[in-house]
Amino acid sequence: VDQSGKSFVVKDDATGKEVTVYWDSTTKLSGDLKPGSMVSVTTTDQGGKMMATSIDAKGAKKPY
C-alpha cells in the first residue's frame, strides 16, 4: 500500500497474478486499507491504469 502514490498491489490467490490498483478522491473506500488486507475492488481501465471506483477492505487474512 502506497498512501502517497494512492496505489496498492492486489494478488489474486487463485492465479498468483499481481496487479497494481490506483485510487483517487472519487473512489469509495470502506474499511482500513493496509498491507495484508483482504479487499474487494471494482475497477475501470483509465489509460492503461487500473483505477478503483470502490474498495472494500477487510482485516488481514489469518494464517492457519
Side-chain angles (χ1 to χ4, degrees):
V1 176
D2 179 1
Q3 293 291 339
S4 64
K6 294 190 176 185
S7 67
F8 61 98
V9 176
V10 176
K11 182 176 180 181
D12 184 330
D13 285 339
T15 64
K17 184 177 178 183
E18 293 185 348
V19 177
T20 301
V21 179
Y22 299 86
W23 75 87
D24 61 21
S25 60
T26 64
T27 303
K28 296 176 188 170
L29 174 61
S30 64
D32 185 17
L33 183 61
K34 58 186 175 185
S37 294
M38 297 295 291
V39 294
S40 294
V41 183
T42 304
T43 61
T44 61
D45 186 339
Q46 292 185 357
K49 288 171 68 170
M50 295 302 291
M51 185 63 68
T53 55
S54 69
I55 304 168
D56 182 16
K58 304 205 183 330
K61 186 175 184 181
K62 294 185 175 41
Y64 290 94

